[in-house]
Amino acid sequence: MSDLFVVEDLTVTFPTSRGPVDVVKNVSFTVGRDDTLGIVGESGSGKSMTALAVLGLLPRGARTSGSVKLDGIELLGKSERDLRSVRGNAISMVFQDPLSSLNPYYTVGLQISEMYQTHRGGSRRSARQVAIDALDRVGIPDPARRVDHYPHQFSGGQRQRVMIAMALCCSPSLLIADEPTTALDVTVQAQILELLAELQSTTGTGMIFITHDLAVISSIAQRVLVMRSGDPVEYGTAEQVFSAPRHEYTRMLLDAVPRIDDEVAL
Ligand SMILES: Nc1ncnc2c1ncn2[C@@H]1O[C@H](COP(=O)(O)OP(=O)(O)OP(=O)(O)O)[C@@H](O)[C@H]1O
Ligand SMILES: [Mg+2]
């Protein structure tokens, strides 16, 4: 069976007043079924642009080249109409800030069931049940009641759970999570990571997890791509990247990760 998701030589270019600038340069990676790829790098390294390019969601003016294949089907260059049927369906994305991605004027149930109906059709009643089940799956207590609540009635961690429920409601083959835990406190971060890892192992969804924090992906990724200034500086299995990094920059990122056995300077 072929790999689920194969990206080859992906380049993203922006026109600027000083000429074209490549913000993602010849990035290649593979995500297998059941696999999590961690993309890590400092702010501005091109992590989000990589994810947005894959979904055809880049800001106006950006150009892409290379190849992005899901189940052997090329996505780069597909029409907006075709991509719309892929987004939220075969590939879905969870963003950093759930408040700006959820509509404050609609109940979470309506937002999840609309997403479901857009791609899968069916009755309102059955879509509502899908929403209740999805909320249940991501650990929202009393989902049959909570389904009628608005985003502001949920805590930050719960809102992120709602986003994950929405992303998973159409059983995507690939889930892209772009810094989904950055806005959360450390304990809630850990709970969301645990939830994602658990959902992934039960649903078999491939996952791309984007973060600037190498420590976060050490527990969930099988493969790691390290980016700096748009360049893919290192790509390998998590084991190799963590235990025998080949690049100086990766070593530097690893050194910045606090360890439990670090001595505390008083
Ligand atoms: N509209 C644009 N025009 C030109 N350059 C842009 C545009 N949008 C983003 N960039 C540049 O693209 C580069 C990559 O940005 P990107 O958002 O992918 O970084 P990132 O790795 O996701 O960072 P962060 O960790 O802060 O989210 C940055 O240097 C940014 O300045
Ligand atoms: Mg980003």
Side-chain angles (χ1 to χ4, degrees), residues 26-191:
N26 292 302
V27 166
S28 302
F29 57 80
T30 299
V31 184
R33 282 157 233 281
D34 265 339
D35 248 9
T36 296
L37 168 78
I39 302 184
V40 59
E42 64 201 7
S43 185
S45 55
K47 306 181 299 292
S48 294
M49 290 301 148
T50 301
L52 295 174
V54 158
L55 290 169
L57 291 175
L58 287 170
R60 267 184 106 95
R63 302 175 69 102
T64 49
S65 66
S67 167
V68 173
K69 286 193 179 131
L70 179 74
D71 274 324
I73 295 169
E74 180 63 53
L75 297 183
L76 272 201
K78 262 194 187 292
S79 69
E80 174 57 25
R81 187 158 166 259
D82 286 347
L83 282 174
R84 227 177 281 149
S85 69
V86 172
R87 280 183 225 130
N89 194 18
I91 305 182
S92 53
M93 187 148 173
V94 179
F95 294 93
Q96 176 175 346
D97 178 8
L99 255 197
S100 62
S101 325
L102 287 167
N103 188 326
Y105 300 110
Y106 294 107
T107 64
V108 300
L110 198 66
Q111 295 183 59
I112 299 173
S113 47
E114 265 188 2
M115 166 75 93
Y116 182 79
Q117 278 188 302
T118 301
H119 295 293
R120 297 292 150 91
S123 68
R124 261 182 133 171
R125 182 188 290 260
S126 66
R128 181 184 159 83
Q129 191 55 49
V130 167
I132 295 172
D133 293 344
L135 291 175
D136 189 34
R137 204 150 53 124
V138 298
I140 300 284
D142 199 4
R145 193 173 61 88
R146 300 290 268 159
V147 73
D148 295 319
H149 287 181
Y150 291 84
H152 74 266
Q153 293 172 287
F154 292 84
S155 70
Q158 283 178 330
R159 280 196 287 264
Q160 200 52 288
R161 285 174 192 265
V162 170
M163 287 305 299
I164 295 168
M166 190 169 350
L168 292 177
C169 73
C170 292
S171 313
S173 337
L174 181 72
L175 177 72
I176 304 178
D178 189 357
E179 311 240 18
T181 59
T182 316
L184 305 171
D185 71 55
V186 180
T187 326
V188 183
Q189 249 185 39
Q191 289 164 359

Side-chain angles (χ1 to χ4, degrees), residues 237-259:
T237 63
E239 202 185 341
Q240 179 257 307
V241 172
F242 285 109
S243 63
R246 295 200 191 98
H247 200 282
E248 186 57 35
Y249 179 67
T250 314
R251 258 173 252 141
M252 204 188 79
L253 285 178
L254 280 169
D255 285 343
V257 175
R259 287 165 204 267

